[in-house]
Amino acid sequence: MPLPPVIDDRPAEGIFRVHRDVFRDAALFEREMRTFFAGHWVFVGHASQVPAPHDYLTLRLAGQPLVLMRDGAGRLHCVHNSCRHKGAMVVHHRRGNRRTHVCAYHGWSYGSNGANIAIKAEAQGGYTAAFGAECHDLVPVARFAEYRGFLFASLSADVPPLEEYLGDARVFIDMAVDQAEQGLELVPGSVTYSYQGNWKLQLENSTDAYHFTSTHPSYLRLLERRARMPGRADVEKAIWQAEKKQEETMGSFGFPNGHALVWTTTPQQNHPLFPQLPQLRSRVGDTRADWMLRTRQLNIFPNLQIASNAALQMRVITPLAVDRTEITSYCLAPVGESPERRRQRLRQYEDFFNPSGLATPDDTVTYEDCQRGFASGDIEWQQGYMRGMQRVVRGADAHAAELGITPDTSVSGSFEMSDETVFHALYRHWASRMEAAA
Ligand code: FES
Ligand SMILES: [Fe+2]
């Protein structure tokens, strides 16, 4: 079936519209799952979640059970969690450490690299030579690759190499990883929550600067109060002041394959990395070090978000139905950080993010509000994609050029401009892949 006309992309006429069916049509949702989640690169985990030999982590991708495992030699594998004998799931715990995984049904066993190591009572089994010639190992996913600790899998072999898929968006993964001399790790523990709304509402919202002042007034009031408290001339104050600035303080890049980034400047001296700026400069160069002190919201299509502000947050989006989404949130931190700084990082992370934070609940409630609003069937087109269109630069602007990257589009301006063209990359990629899949 051809894709219905749900993305109205006419840049020459100054028009970019997204049809509400993109968020509410169950048939489109099924097609998205096949096209993107079962058919292309998807983020599946971070290497620090399985740090030691024989560590494993179970997950689901497009409804299919998988296991990420590290073998005795330290190599990572991503295999289908389904016994070759009669299909039972072999690994049941969320995570753990095992040299061998024994299927609970008939006792076939597998090593920590997924290879079959024993078929119970094989010698007595009267098996044919043809059976012996078959591979009995757990089946690897079609493609599995790592970029600087971030692990991606594809259930389809028909995908470009991961680095090509990530393209210049890699620079912003580098910027997160290179903050730490010894690399990044996930702080143990995660928070999972769900909302009754489409998965792309979360994907858009993290790069939606326009909602910030209206959706989070209580958070902003709290920042104002804190900023006036003696001894609290800190990060909150910096963020709050940055919101008020009129000059060029924000911008965005849209990349091929649906990736996107929004950046905001904040006064450098208030950033937690500021004391290390000289070392950062000598390690990664002046430009990238200065960029590390900007606030950055990175979307790696379709399911990974990395928010870099005072803390580093990683969100993973799992669509469950057209109107139901699960989010898992993690705190990223430099390996070897002092307990003191780690404590400060965790407090900053908890402050804003997660269902217990001061901002995430505002967002989640709003997604559900949108989804309920989408029930108004007569309204077809959203009007939330045209802020910033007059200012769009095709290719790299000066900000992209200084980083040596070539996005498809760049925009910069005041915080109040609150660009919405950053969503175009997502929907251009979405439309082209959905059409190709048809
Ligand atoms: S299903 Fe696993 S051993 Fe039979
Ligand atoms: Fe928000």
Side-chain angles (χ1 to χ4, degrees), residues 12 56 67 98 102 104 120 147 159 188 221 225 227 242 244 247 322 411 436:
Y56 68 85
V67 200
R98 289 192 88 94
V102 181
K120 189 178 73 181
Y147 184 73
V159 289
R221 272 200 303 276
R225 281 226 311 272
K244 305 217 147 194
E247 68 260 39
V322 67
V411 177

mmCIF file with all atom_site columns, all heavy atoms in Angstrom, residues 12 56 67 98 102 104 120 147 159 188 221 225 227 242 244 247 322 411 436:
data_model
loop_
_atom_site.group_PDB
_atom_site.id
_atom_site.type_symbol
_atom_site.label_atom_id
_atom_site.label_alt_id
_atom_site.label_comp_id
_atom_site.label_asym_id
_atom_site.label_entity_id
_atom_site.label_seq_id
_atom_site.pdbx_PDB_ins_code
_atom_site.Cartn_x
_atom_site.Cartn_y
_atom_site.Cartn_z
_atom_site.occupancy
_atom_site.B_iso_or_equiv
_atom_site.pdbx_formal_charge
_atom_site.auth_seq_id
_atom_site.auth_comp_id
_atom_site.auth_asym_id
_atom_site.auth_atom_id
_atom_site.pdbx_PDB_model_num
ATOM 1   N N   . ALA A 1 12  ? 9.846  25.305  -0.474 1.00 0.00 ? 12  ALA A N   1
ATOM 2   C CA  . ALA A 1 12  ? 9.853  26.490  -1.335 1.00 0.00 ? 12  ALA A CA  1
ATOM 3   C C   . ALA A 1 12  ? 8.636  27.375  -1.058 1.00 0.00 ? 12  ALA A C   1
ATOM 4   O O   . ALA A 1 12  ? 8.685  28.596  -1.218 1.00 0.00 ? 12  ALA A O   1
ATOM 5   C CB  . ALA A 1 12  ? 9.881  26.064  -2.799 1.00 0.00 ? 12  ALA A CB  1
ATOM 6   N N   . TYR A 1 56  ? 25.193 -10.587 30.976 1.00 0.00 ? 56  TYR A N   1
ATOM 7   C CA  . TYR A 1 56  ? 24.149 -10.545 29.949 1.00 0.00 ? 56  TYR A CA  1
ATOM 8   C C   . TYR A 1 56  ? 23.029 -9.598  30.355 1.00 0.00 ? 56  TYR A C   1
ATOM 9   O O   . TYR A 1 56  ? 22.885 -9.246  31.522 1.00 0.00 ? 56  TYR A O   1
ATOM 10  C CB  . TYR A 1 56  ? 23.587 -11.952 29.673 1.00 0.00 ? 56  TYR A CB  1
ATOM 11  C CG  . TYR A 1 56  ? 22.807 -12.505 30.849 1.00 0.00 ? 56  TYR A CG  1
ATOM 12  C CD1 . TYR A 1 56  ? 21.460 -12.186 31.024 1.00 0.00 ? 56  TYR A CD1 1
ATOM 13  C CD2 . TYR A 1 56  ? 23.421 -13.337 31.779 1.00 0.00 ? 56  TYR A CD2 1
ATOM 14  C CE1 . TYR A 1 56  ? 20.745 -12.684 32.108 1.00 0.00 ? 56  TYR A CE1 1
ATOM 15  C CE2 . TYR A 1 56  ? 22.715 -13.836 32.862 1.00 0.00 ? 56  TYR A CE2 1
ATOM 16  C CZ  . TYR A 1 56  ? 21.380 -13.499 33.025 1.00 0.00 ? 56  TYR A CZ  1
ATOM 17  O OH  . TYR A 1 56  ? 20.679 -13.978 34.101 1.00 0.00 ? 56  TYR A OH  1
ATOM 18  N N   . VAL A 1 67  ? 18.972 -11.227 23.696 1.00 0.00 ? 67  VAL A N   1
ATOM 19  C CA  . VAL A 1 67  ? 19.937 -11.152 24.793 1.00 0.00 ? 67  VAL A CA  1
ATOM 20  C C   . VAL A 1 67  ? 21.207 -10.499 24.271 1.00 0.00 ? 67  VAL A C   1
ATOM 21  O O   . VAL A 1 67  ? 21.716 -10.856 23.208 1.00 0.00 ? 67  VAL A O   1
ATOM 22  C CB  . VAL A 1 67  ? 20.392 -12.543 25.316 1.00 0.00 ? 67  VAL A CB  1
ATOM 23  C CG1 . VAL A 1 67  ? 20.970 -12.407 26.722 1.00 0.00 ? 67  VAL A CG1 1
ATOM 24  C CG2 . VAL A 1 67  ? 19.311 -13.575 25.248 1.00 0.00 ? 67  VAL A CG2 1
ATOM 25  N N   . ARG A 1 98  ? 26.504 -15.336 33.625 1.00 0.00 ? 98  ARG A N   1
ATOM 26  C CA  . ARG A 1 98  ? 26.514 -16.801 33.502 1.00 0.00 ? 98  ARG A CA  1
ATOM 27  C C   . ARG A 1 98  ? 27.440 -17.207 32.366 1.00 0.00 ? 98  ARG A C   1
ATOM 28  O O   . ARG A 1 98  ? 27.409 -16.615 31.292 1.00 0.00 ? 98  ARG A O   1
ATOM 29  C CB  . ARG A 1 98  ? 25.116 -17.315 33.147 1.00 0.00 ? 98  ARG A CB  1
ATOM 30  C CG  . ARG A 1 98  ? 24.100 -17.231 34.248 1.00 0.00 ? 98  ARG A CG  1
ATOM 31  C CD  . ARG A 1 98  ? 22.869 -18.038 33.842 1.00 0.00 ? 98  ARG A CD  1
ATOM 32  N NE  . ARG A 1 98  ? 23.042 -19.421 34.248 1.00 0.00 ? 98  ARG A NE  1
ATOM 33  C CZ  . ARG A 1 98  ? 22.595 -19.894 35.400 1.00 0.00 ? 98  ARG A CZ  1
ATOM 34  N NH1 . ARG A 1 98  ? 21.938 -19.115 36.229 1.00 0.00 ? 98  ARG A NH1 1
ATOM 35  N NH2 . ARG A 1 98  ? 22.789 -21.150 35.711 1.00 0.00 ? 98  ARG A NH2 1
ATOM 36  N N   . VAL A 1 102 ? 21.273 -22.641 30.274 1.00 0.00 ? 102 VAL A N   1
ATOM 37  C CA  . VAL A 1 102 ? 20.645 -23.946 30.023 1.00 0.00 ? 102 VAL A CA  1
ATOM 38  C C   . VAL A 1 102 ? 19.151 -23.735 29.831 1.00 0.00 ? 102 VAL A C   1
ATOM 39  O O   . VAL A 1 102 ? 18.485 -23.139 30.677 1.00 0.00 ? 102 VAL A O   1
ATOM 40  C CB  . VAL A 1 102 ? 20.907 -24.909 31.209 1.00 0.00 ? 102 VAL A CB  1
ATOM 41  C CG1 . VAL A 1 102 ? 20.282 -26.284 30.927 1.00 0.00 ? 102 VAL A CG1 1
ATOM 42  C CG2 . VAL A 1 102 ? 22.403 -25.047 31.455 1.00 0.00 ? 102 VAL A CG2 1
ATOM 43  N N   . ALA A 1 104 ? 15.426 -24.340 30.073 1.00 0.00 ? 104 ALA A N   1
ATOM 44  C CA  . ALA A 1 104 ? 14.691 -25.029 31.143 1.00 0.00 ? 104 ALA A CA  1
ATOM 45  C C   . ALA A 1 104 ? 13.771 -26.122 30.587 1.00 0.00 ? 104 ALA A C   1
ATOM 46  O O   . ALA A 1 104 ? 13.272 -26.951 31.346 1.00 0.00 ? 104 ALA A O   1
ATOM 47  C CB  . ALA A 1 104 ? 13.874 -24.017 31.927 1.00 0.00 ? 104 ALA A CB  1
ATOM 48  N N   . LYS A 1 120 ? 21.261 -32.264 25.321 1.00 0.00 ? 120 LYS A N   1
ATOM 49  C CA  . LYS A 1 120 ? 21.120 -33.285 26.362 1.00 0.00 ? 120 LYS A CA  1
ATOM 50  C C   . LYS A 1 120 ? 20.942 -34.671 25.719 1.00 0.00 ? 120 LYS A C   1
ATOM 51  O O   . LYS A 1 120 ? 20.116 -34.836 24.831 1.00 0.00 ? 120 LYS A O   1
ATOM 52  C CB  . LYS A 1 120 ? 19.922 -32.950 27.261 1.00 0.00 ? 120 LYS A CB  1
ATOM 53  C CG  . LYS A 1 120 ? 19.809 -33.828 28.491 1.00 0.00 ? 120 LYS A CG  1
ATOM 54  C CD  . LYS A 1 120 ? 18.628 -33.420 29.376 1.00 0.00 ? 120 LYS A CD  1
ATOM 55  C CE  . LYS A 1 120 ? 17.309 -33.817 28.748 1.00 0.00 ? 120 LYS A CE  1
ATOM 56  N NZ  . LYS A 1 120 ? 16.147 -33.418 29.553 1.00 0.00 ? 120 LYS A NZ  1
ATOM 57  N N   . TYR A 1 147 ? 28.991 1.874   18.628 1.00 0.00 ? 147 TYR A N   1
ATOM 58  C CA  . TYR A 1 147 ? 29.692 3.133   18.419 1.00 0.00 ? 147 TYR A CA  1
ATOM 59  C C   . TYR A 1 147 ? 30.012 3.741   19.777 1.00 0.00 ? 147 TYR A C   1
ATOM 60  O O   . TYR A 1 147 ? 29.120 4.189   20.489 1.00 0.00 ? 147 TYR A O   1
ATOM 61  C CB  . TYR A 1 147 ? 28.874 4.126   17.563 1.00 0.00 ? 147 TYR A CB  1
ATOM 62  C CG  . TYR A 1 147 ? 29.688 5.371   17.302 1.00 0.00 ? 147 TYR A CG  1
ATOM 63  C CD1 . TYR A 1 147 ? 30.745 5.338   16.408 1.00 0.00 ? 147 TYR A CD1 1
ATOM 64  C CD2 . TYR A 1 147 ? 29.452 6.541   18.012 1.00 0.00 ? 147 TYR A CD2 1
ATOM 65  C CE1 . TYR A 1 147 ? 31.556 6.450   16.214 1.00 0.00 ? 147 TYR A CE1 1
ATOM 66  C CE2 . TYR A 1 147 ? 30.255 7.665   17.812 1.00 0.00 ? 147 TYR A CE2 1
ATOM 67  C CZ  . TYR A 1 147 ? 31.305 7.602   16.914 1.00 0.00 ? 147 TYR A CZ  1
ATOM 68  O OH  . TYR A 1 147 ? 32.106 8.703   16.730 1.00 0.00 ? 147 TYR A OH  1
ATOM 69  N N   . VAL A 1 159 ? 20.772 -2.846  5.799  1.00 0.00 ? 159 VAL A N   1
ATOM 70  C CA  . VAL A 1 159 ? 20.971 -1.512  6.389  1.00 0.00 ? 159 VAL A CA  1
ATOM 71  C C   . VAL A 1 159 ? 22.402 -1.067  6.095  1.00 0.00 ? 159 VAL A C   1
ATOM 72  O O   . VAL A 1 159 ? 23.286 -1.904  5.925  1.00 0.00 ? 159 VAL A O   1
ATOM 73  C CB  . VAL A 1 159 ? 20.736 -1.526  7.922  1.00 0.00 ? 159 VAL A CB  1
ATOM 74  C CG1 . VAL A 1 159 ? 19.270 -1.698  8.248  1.00 0.00 ? 159 VAL A CG1 1
ATOM 75  C CG2 . VAL A 1 159 ? 21.558 -2.603  8.618  1.00 0.00 ? 159 VAL A CG2 1
ATOM 76  N N   . PRO A 1 188 ? 24.340 2.653   37.819 1.00 0.00 ? 188 PRO A N   1
ATOM 77  C CA  . PRO A 1 188 ? 23.433 1.516   38.029 1.00 0.00 ? 188 PRO A CA  1
ATOM 78  C C   . PRO A 1 188 ? 22.013 1.979   38.371 1.00 0.00 ? 188 PRO A C   1
ATOM 79  O O   . PRO A 1 188 ? 21.836 2.975   39.064 1.00 0.00 ? 188 PRO A O   1
ATOM 80  C CB  . PRO A 1 188 ? 24.067 0.783   39.216 1.00 0.00 ? 188 PRO A CB  1
ATOM 81  C CG  . PRO A 1 188 ? 25.509 1.157   39.172 1.00 0.00 ? 188 PRO A CG  1
ATOM 82  C CD  . PRO A 1 188 ? 25.550 2.561   38.642 1.00 0.00 ? 188 PRO A CD  1
ATOM 83  N N   . ARG A 1 221 ? 9.668  28.666  38.160 1.00 0.00 ? 221 ARG A N   1
ATOM 84  C CA  . ARG A 1 221 ? 9.504  29.474  39.393 1.00 0.00 ? 221 ARG A CA  1
ATOM 85  C C   . ARG A 1 221 ? 10.466 28.992  40.467 1.00 0.00 ? 221 ARG A C   1
ATOM 86  O O   . ARG A 1 221 ? 11.055 29.778  41.196 1.00 0.00 ? 221 ARG A O   1
ATOM 87  C CB  . ARG A 1 221 ? 8.053  29.404  39.890 1.00 0.00 ? 221 ARG A CB  1
ATOM 88  C CG  . ARG A 1 221 ? 7.159  30.479  39.253 1.00 0.00 ? 221 ARG A CG  1
ATOM 89  C CD  . ARG A 1 221 ? 5.902  30.711  40.076 1.00 0.00 ? 221 ARG A CD  1
ATOM 90  N NE  . ARG A 1 221 ? 5.136  29.490  40.260 1.00 0.00 ? 221 ARG A NE  1
ATOM 91  C CZ  . ARG A 1 221 ? 4.263  29.016  39.370 1.00 0.00 ? 221 ARG A CZ  1
ATOM 92  N NH1 . ARG A 1 221 ? 4.043  29.665  38.254 1.00 0.00 ? 221 ARG A NH1 1
ATOM 93  N NH2 . ARG A 1 221 ? 3.612  27.895  39.593 1.00 0.00 ? 221 ARG A NH2 1
ATOM 94  N N   . ARG A 1 225 ? 13.406 31.040  42.413 1.00 0.00 ? 225 ARG A N   1
ATOM 95  C CA  . ARG A 1 225 ? 13.526 31.113  43.881 1.00 0.00 ? 225 ARG A CA  1
ATOM 96  C C   . ARG A 1 225 ? 14.912 30.666  44.322 1.00 0.00 ? 225 ARG A C   1
ATOM 97  O O   . ARG A 1 225 ? 15.557 31.298  45.139 1.00 0.00 ? 225 ARG A O   1
ATOM 98  C CB  . ARG A 1 225 ? 12.471 30.214  44.546 1.00 0.00 ? 225 ARG A CB  1
ATOM 99  C CG  . ARG A 1 225 ? 11.097 30.826  44.588 1.00 0.00 ? 225 ARG A CG  1
ATOM 100 C CD  . ARG A 1 225 ? 10.416 30.689  45.962 1.00 0.00 ? 225 ARG A CD  1
ATOM 101 N NE  . ARG A 1 225 ? 10.452 29.361  46.539 1.00 0.00 ? 225 ARG A NE  1
ATOM 102 C CZ  . ARG A 1 225 ? 9.533  28.419  46.309 1.00 0.00 ? 225 ARG A CZ  1
ATOM 103 N NH1 . ARG A 1 225 ? 8.516  28.672  45.504 1.00 0.00 ? 225 ARG A NH1 1
ATOM 104 N NH2 . ARG A 1 225 ? 9.621  27.247  46.894 1.00 0.00 ? 225 ARG A NH2 1
ATOM 105 N N   . ALA A 1 227 ? 17.630 30.695  42.588 1.00 0.00 ? 227 ALA A N   1
ATOM 106 C CA  . ALA A 1 227 ? 18.660 31.627  42.120 1.00 0.00 ? 227 ALA A CA  1
ATOM 107 C C   . ALA A 1 227 ? 18.800 32.801  43.078 1.00 0.00 ? 227 ALA A C   1
ATOM 108 O O   . ALA A 1 227 ? 19.867 33.397  43.176 1.00 0.00 ? 227 ALA A O   1
ATOM 109 C CB  . ALA A 1 227 ? 18.320 32.116  40.718 1.00 0.00 ? 227 ALA A CB  1
ATOM 110 N N   . ALA A 1 242 ? 19.755 32.021  30.961 1.00 0.00 ? 242 ALA A N   1
ATOM 111 C CA  . ALA A 1 242 ? 19.899 31.753  29.528 1.00 0.00 ? 242 ALA A CA  1
ATOM 112 C C   . ALA A 1 242 ? 18.545 31.824  28.825 1.00 0.00 ? 242 ALA A C   1
ATOM 113 O O   . ALA A 1 242 ? 18.441 32.286  27.698 1.00 0.00 ? 242 ALA A O   1
ATOM 114 C CB  . ALA A 1 242 ? 20.536 30.393  29.308 1.00 0.00 ? 242 ALA A CB  1
ATOM 115 N N   . LYS A 1 244 ? 16.256 33.778  29.425 1.00 0.00 ? 244 LYS A N   1
ATOM 116 C CA  . LYS A 1 244 ? 15.788 35.157  29.312 1.00 0.00 ? 244 LYS A CA  1
ATOM 117 C C   . LYS A 1 244 ? 16.534 35.938  28.227 1.00 0.00 ? 244 LYS A C   1
ATOM 118 O O   . LYS A 1 244 ? 16.132 37.014  27.849 1.00 0.00 ? 244 LYS A O   1
ATOM 119 C CB  . LYS A 1 244 ? 15.979 35.868  30.651 1.00 0.00 ? 244 LYS A CB  1
ATOM 120 C CG  . LYS A 1 244 ? 15.302 35.115  31.779 1.00 0.00 ? 244 LYS A CG  1
ATOM 121 C CD  . LYS A 1 244 ? 14.687 36.043  32.775 1.00 0.00 ? 244 LYS A CD  1
ATOM 122 C CE  . LYS A 1 244 ? 13.439 35.378  33.335 1.00 0.00 ? 244 LYS A CE  1
ATOM 123 N NZ  . LYS A 1 244 ? 12.564 36.214  34.041 1.00 0.00 ? 244 LYS A NZ  1
ATOM 124 N N   . GLU A 1 247 ? 19.692 37.379  22.651 1.00 0.00 ? 247 GLU A N   1
ATOM 125 C CA  . GLU A 1 247 ? 20.631 37.208  21.543 1.00 0.00 ? 247 GLU A CA  1
ATOM 126 C C   . GLU A 1 247 ? 20.672 35.743  21.083 1.00 0.00 ? 247 GLU A C   1
ATOM 127 O O   . GLU A 1 247 ? 19.903 34.920  21.570 1.00 0.00 ? 247 GLU A O   1
ATOM 128 C CB  . GLU A 1 247 ? 22.031 37.715  21.913 1.00 0.00 ? 247 GLU A CB  1
ATOM 129 C CG  . GLU A 1 247 ? 22.724 36.895  22.959 1.00 0.00 ? 247 GLU A CG  1
ATOM 130 C CD  . GLU A 1 247 ? 22.639 37.533  24.332 1.00 0.00 ? 247 GLU A CD  1
ATOM 131 O OE1 . GLU A 1 247 ? 21.590 38.096  24.669 1.00 0.00 ? 247 GLU A OE1 1
ATOM 132 O OE2 . GLU A 1 247 ? 23.614 37.460  25.068 1.00 0.00 ? 247 GLU A OE2 1
ATOM 133 N N   . VAL A 1 322 ? -0.006 2.330   19.213 1.00 0.00 ? 322 VAL A N   1
ATOM 134 C CA  . VAL A 1 322 ? -0.042 3.656   18.582 1.00 0.00 ? 322 VAL A CA  1
ATOM 135 C C   . VAL A 1 322 ? -0.195 4.755   19.634 1.00 0.00 ? 322 VAL A C   1
ATOM 136 O O   . VAL A 1 322 ? 0.328  5.860   19.476 1.00 0.00 ? 322 VAL A O   1
ATOM 137 C CB  . VAL A 1 322 ? -1.155 3.715   17.497 1.00 0.00 ? 322 VAL A CB  1
ATOM 138 C CG1 . VAL A 1 322 ? -2.551 3.604   18.099 1.00 0.00 ? 322 VAL A CG1 1
ATOM 139 C CG2 . VAL A 1 322 ? -1.022 4.976   16.653 1.00 0.00 ? 322 VAL A CG2 1
ATOM 140 N N   . VAL A 1 411 ? 19.762 25.924  11.897 1.00 0.00 ? 411 VAL A N   1
ATOM 141 C CA  . VAL A 1 411 ? 19.041 27.147  12.264 1.00 0.00 ? 411 VAL A CA  1
ATOM 142 C C   . VAL A 1 411 ? 19.672 27.681  13.529 1.00 0.00 ? 411 VAL A C   1
ATOM 143 O O   . VAL A 1 411 ? 20.101 26.895  14.373 1.00 0.00 ? 411 VAL A O   1
ATOM 144 C CB  . VAL A 1 411 ? 17.547 26.851  12.582 1.00 0.00 ? 411 VAL A CB  1
ATOM 145 C CG1 . VAL A 1 411 ? 16.839 28.126  13.022 1.00 0.00 ? 411 VAL A CG1 1
ATOM 146 C CG2 . VAL A 1 411 ? 16.825 26.270  11.408 1.00 0.00 ? 411 VAL A CG2 1
ATOM 147 N N   . ALA A 1 436 ? 9.491  3.801   1.008  1.00 0.00 ? 436 ALA A N   1
ATOM 148 C CA  . ALA A 1 436 ? 10.339 2.749   0.447  1.00 0.00 ? 436 ALA A CA  1
ATOM 149 C C   . ALA A 1 436 ? 9.844  1.373   0.901  1.00 0.00 ? 436 ALA A C   1
ATOM 150 O O   . ALA A 1 436 ? 9.825  0.420   0.128  1.00 0.00 ? 436 ALA A O   1
ATOM 151 C CB  . ALA A 1 436 ? 11.778 2.954   0.875  1.00 0.00 ? 436 ALA A CB  1
#
